[in-house]
Amino acid sequence: TLVVPNPPGGLVDSSARLLADPLAKVLNQSVVVDNKGGGSGNVAYGQVARAAPDGYTLLTSYSAYHVGNPSLMPKLPWAQKDLAPVALITAATNLIAVHPSVPANTLGEFIAHLKKNPGKLSYASQGNGSLSHVGTEMFKMQTGTSMVHIPYRGSGPAIQDVLSGQVQVFITTPPSVMGHVQQGKLKGLAVTGRTRHPGVPNVPTTDEAGLKGFELEAWVAIFAPAGTPPDVVNKLTTSIKQALDQPETKTRANTAGIELRYLPPDALDALVKRETEYWARIIKTANITAE
């Protein structure tokens, strides 16, 4: 069972479903995706942290929850030490998308518009402490701009209000907004990774658009309950790598706008430690809370 801390749709659920079929073939047994949304991911995290460490219940972990929640919430029903790293499976850059009513066609024009109109535009996030919240606060700090934060419960309702123009800005992963940018319903100003995104090849990176050093990525990884035997973790991580290497997995990932990116347990552990420290610093500096 792959326990997903989000409702269906979006990066984390899509990543789990991308992995489930090929992994079932590699392991020669059924792999079920179980959506356990709620509590900013803590319901799912707590469930897997308490599960039997036998390799049959796994967490599809989202970077914002994994490295952000420990700094945002003083009382969690889980701790990072309760979860054993198995494999990084996907990563996604973010896309800076704005409603067509915003009088800017480039990132430079957008930043200039924000500076002339401090606090007049609003931005959407998937909720307090989410990647889109923390990431947009990072953007504001780096550019010296001001926008009003409107938190939502997930990407779905946030996108509806951005499409209607009720909220003007959304920095989020491509699967959520890529189609709307392709259709011209939203303007894509920049992607926040080191390379352009194949789904929106005409949208420059933040670096190309003149905002040097601003990078924002989300990632999805598989974790097992702490205490899972090393040979079980080893079998799982090897099988996951095989599943991700299948040509059909790569084709489906490209269509969904998701980048497959495998890391073994030790490299995933190092990534978690590095990002937990970074997020803690941003959350403290920007005074971000989960409320």
Side-chain angles (χ1 to χ4, degrees):
T1 301
L2 297 176
V3 181
V4 175
N6 304 71
L11 174 66
V12 190
D13 178 66
S14 299
S15 299
R17 291 177 193 280
L18 203 59
L19 176 65
D21 288 347
L23 183 60
K25 286 173 188 162
V26 172
L27 292 170
N28 198 26
Q29 65 184 71
S30 65
V31 176
V32 179
V33 175
D34 182 17
N35 296 88
K36 281 276 181 337
S40 297
N42 294 320
V43 173
Y45 281 69
Q47 179 186 326
V48 177
R50 294 187 301 271
D54 55 12
Y56 285 96
T57 304
L58 304 171
L59 176 70
T60 311
S61 180
Y62 175 44
S63 53
Y65 295 154
H66 206 107
V67 302
N69 284 9
S71 290
L72 284 165
M73 301 166 193
K75 291 179 181 175
L76 287 176
W78 61 280
Q80 286 181 348
K81 65 179 175 57
D82 299 332
L83 298 163
V86 176
L88 184 76
I89 59 168
T90 64
T93 183
N94 280 257
L95 184 59
I96 301 174
V98 300
H99 188 264
S101 63
V102 176
N105 293 311
T106 67
L107 187 62
E109 289 173 2
F110 176 57
I111 293 168
H113 179 69
L114 288 175
K115 286 184 172 174
K116 283 181 194 162
N117 299 276
K120 290 196 180 167
L121 268 65
S122 54
Y123 77 88
S125 82
Q126 290 111 338
N128 287 316
S130 63
L131 186 79
S132 51
H133 181 196
V134 176
T136 311
E137 289 300 320
M138 285 163 58
F139 175 83
K140 283 166 55 181
M141 284 163 67
Q142 191 163 332
T143 56
T145 55
S146 167
M147 289 183 277
V148 177
H149 175 218
I150 312 290
Y152 290 84
R153 288 176 180 265
S155 291
I159 288 162
Q160 293 311 311
D161 278 6
V162 178
L163 286 169
S164 72
Q166 200 166 321
V167 179
Q168 296 81 34
V169 184
F170 197 17
I171 301 180
T172 188
T173 49
S176 306
V177 289
M178 194 168 68
H180 303 302
V181 171
Q182 289 165 341
Q183 292 160 26
K185 293 177 183 174
L186 295 174
K187 288 192 274 195
L189 300 181
V191 291
T192 63
R194 291 176 193 180
T195 57
R196 292 195 181 201
H197 192 281
V200 279
N202 297 330
V203 177
T205 65
T206 42
D207 205 59
E208 290 170 336
L211 185 58
K212 305 289 181 189
F214 181 77
E215 285 182 17
L216 183 67
E217 280 193 326
W219 49 257
V220 178
I222 303 297
F223 287 78
T228 301
D231 61 322
V232 174
V233 171
N234 190 46
K235 183 183 179 183
L236 285 168
T237 198
T238 306
S239 301
I240 287 167
K241 186 174 189 304
Q242 276 182 271
L244 296 177
D245 283 341
Q246 304 297 320
E248 72 226 40
T249 313
K250 292 178 179 175
T251 304
R252 285 177 60 204
N254 287 339
T255 305
I258 296 170
E259 180 195 339
L260 299 177
R261 192 187 295 175
Y262 171 81
L263 282 181
D266 54 346
L268 173 56
D269 194 42
L271 174 70
V272 167
K273 288 186 170 125
R274 193 167 64 244
E275 292 216 342
T276 301
E277 288 174 15
Y278 180 62
W279 273 59
R281 199 163 64 246
I282 297 289
I283 286 164
K284 190 176 178 183
T285 307
N287 198 24
I288 296 168
T289 66
E291 299 307 316

